Amino acid sequence: MMNYKKYKKFETVKLKDRTWPDNEITKAPIWCSVDLRDGNQALITPMNIEEKIEMFQMLVNMGFKEIEVGFPSSSQIEYDFLRALIDRHLIPDDVTVQVLTQAREHLIRRTFESLKGLKKAIVHIYNSTSVLQRDVVFGMDKEQIKQIAVEGTRLVKSLTSEFDGEVILEYSPESFTGTEMDYAVEICDAVMDEWEAAENKKVIINLPSTVEMNTPNVYADQIEYCCRHFKDRRRVIVSVHPHNDRGCGVASTELALLAGADRVEGTLFGNGERTGNVDIINVAMNMFTHGIDPKLNMSDMNAIKGVYERVTKMEVEPRHPYAGQLVFTAFSGSHQDAINKGMRAYHERNTGIWEVPYLPIDPADLNRQYEPIVRINSQSGKGGVAFVMETTYGFRLPKAMQQDFSKSIQKITETEGEITPERIYQVFDHEYLKKETPYTFVRYRIVDHHDATCEHPIRVEITLIDHGEEKTIVGHGNGPIDSVKNALDQNGYIETELIDYQEHALASGSSAKAAAYVQLKETTSSICEFGAGVDPNINIASIKAIFSAMNRIDEKMKSR
């Protein structure tokens, strides 16, 4: 038995008049990528300098304007990476790099050495403030912990006066979620007072969920509490840095934005210590699906994923929202049918508004293809098979024919498992388009005798191969299809009744082919079969479909 009594419930925030539940996210926050610091330090094999540069350049291309590039006072490679960015002039003018350091004198001084040559930088200092860490790690009281933050701020301020570029201060009360809220506000205000923060000299106050301890609504309460109780909210950029220990990083971030946060620190695909940081791609794409410009370019998700996987040696989970290999894939028959109908309605309505069941986003917006959306296995149904045939090969099968064809596919998947689109088409080709025995269409000649007294104005001559022998038969009717069917009925072939006929173009342009579908019922039995034909000439496509259906009826009759 799991001993749940060894754990205690974390405290909530007493905020009875909270306002965040009534708010809406209407714009993107300031994004800060911490892939090169928080994400990198959590890798089994940390990135080398060139890999870091590749990641940095991708982040710039995605549109990040603030990028934490490392902890330059912690190791030589971290220091050398920042120097490489500066010395090679790789930092665009509209991008601000951020460096992290503990609020300790020798680390802060080393950090400023690494910044030489920069026009602008965010210097991010932190110290841990939680009840637990004050007790078991530092053995200090509240005043002593506050003094660490204030003295660190004082040193950054002093060194800034000697620095040629602009320095923006960021302060994090690390382990914020385990800190008393009134004390968190007290220590942050003390930092801002020391810095002499003002509306035109704002301090970034980063309130991290260093370890996710509670439900997302509690984090939102903590953020709103601080936003309300800072001495002067106008001198603060409120930043959040959520981790994912309870699996709620995205929800915590979204609720924190509702609660007043201005800025989000996170990583691509949620990389980071333990269960990771909040996944910025997930949060940004959630905004995108609500019609909000996320201010990040994720239009080639596979390319982003490729760089990430190459430099981090980590794999993106197949079910990862928006980027996972299977995230736009449906195996369920009912889901496939709904997607198929939704896609058709989307194109027919042409409103420009994406509304497709089970697909909250158009895969094309991420440069993802439609082919893998529906994958066929034994759980799939007619809708999935129809979707593959239409989106991959252009065949819009009649509804009754979808059911008929899906039975053939079902038999294969029950023994072989998942079936590819190529294999589905091969089965369709064999079962319908190449169904040419015992009767094979060769050619036709049609004559129109329309006049007022002619009951059957269309005369057609059909040349066919009948059990290996070439023959020509003649039929009359109201149109080409009627004439061909009558020719077969009246010349000793299987007598049938036309149940359904449909046709459509397979492609546009001068080389377009037509697809025709015919459903025939043998008049003396209950046998009813579909046939299909393809040809640039719609009449020939229709005749091929009739022969296909007739051959399938013949095959069914012989199998009885």
Side-chain angles (χ1 to χ4, degrees), residues 101-149:
T101 178
Q102 291 173 322
R104 298 169 64 185
E105 181 178 356
H106 71 287
L107 298 178
I108 292 173
R109 290 188 182 278
R110 176 68 168 164
T111 299
F112 268 83
E113 289 176 15
S114 72
L115 298 177
K116 290 179 181 177
L118 274 178
K119 296 179 181 178
K120 186 177 182 181
I122 298 170
V123 175
H124 181 185
I125 63 172
Y126 72 95
N127 66 308
S128 199
T129 61
S130 69
V131 176
L132 182 62
Q133 294 227 28
R134 294 197 314 259
D135 178 26
V136 305
V137 178
F138 300 103
M140 293 182 176
D141 61 23
K142 288 183 177 180
E143 190 59 34
Q144 289 172 311
I145 291 293
K146 183 169 72 173
Q147 280 307 115
I148 293 174

Side-chain angles (χ1 to χ4, degrees), residues 27-29 31 283-285 287-288 292-298:
K27 64 178 182 178
W31 300 110
V283 179
M285 287 307 306
M287 292 179 184
F288 182 78
I292 299 169
D293 182 359
K295 304 298 183 181
L296 293 175
N297 182 6
M298 293 164 285

Side-chain angles (χ1 to χ4, degrees), residues 327-344:
V327 71
F328 296 123
T329 301
F331 290 98
S332 162
S334 60
H335 288 205
Q336 293 172 347
D337 185 57
I339 290 171
N340 186 29
K341 291 173 180 174
M343 291 287 286
R344 183 171 293 183

Side-chain angles (χ1 to χ4, degrees), residues 38-105:
D38 205 343
N40 184 60
Q41 75 182 31
L43 299 176
I44 296 171
T45 304
M47 290 178 267
N48 61 38
I49 288 178
E50 294 308 315
E51 287 171 335
K52 286 186 174 188
I53 288 173
E54 183 178 4
M55 173 66 86
F56 178 82
Q57 290 177 327
M58 182 182 74
L59 294 169
V60 169
N61 291 336
M62 288 179 66
F64 283 96
K65 300 304 180 186
E66 295 183 4
I67 302 172
E68 190 167 85
V69 294
F71 201 141
S73 62
S74 67
S75 70
Q76 192 61 44
I77 191 171
E78 294 279 287
Y79 187 98
D80 291 344
F81 168 56
L82 177 53
R83 293 312 312 167
L85 291 178
I86 297 169
D87 295 340
R88 297 189 202 178
H89 307 289
L90 298 175
I91 304 170
D93 290 341
D94 63 344
V95 173
T96 304
V97 296
Q98 175 172 307
V99 289
L100 181 73
T101 178
Q102 291 173 322
R104 298 169 64 185
E105 181 178 356

Side-chain angles (χ1 to χ4, degrees), residues 291-323:
I292 299 169
D293 182 359
K295 304 298 183 181
L296 293 175
N297 182 6
M298 293 164 285
S299 60
D300 195 344
M301 190 63 75
N302 284 335
I304 295 169
K305 185 169 72 169
V307 172
Y308 169 83
E309 291 185 332
R310 183 168 59 255
V311 302
T312 66
K313 286 79 173 175
M314 303 280 283
E315 291 186 4
V316 174
E317 156 59 41
R319 297 287 182 191
H320 178 285
Y322 307 109

Side-chain angles (χ1 to χ4, degrees), residues 14 32 73 98 151 164 199 266 298 309 326 360 375 391 399 459 526 528 537:
K14 306 303 180 186
C32 178
S73 62
Q98 175 172 307
E151 289 170 9
D164 290 337
E199 189 172 358
M298 293 164 285
E309 291 185 332
L326 299 177
R375 289 171 61 171
T391 59
K399 188 172 183 179
R459 178 181 185 275
S526 61
C528 188
N537 184 308

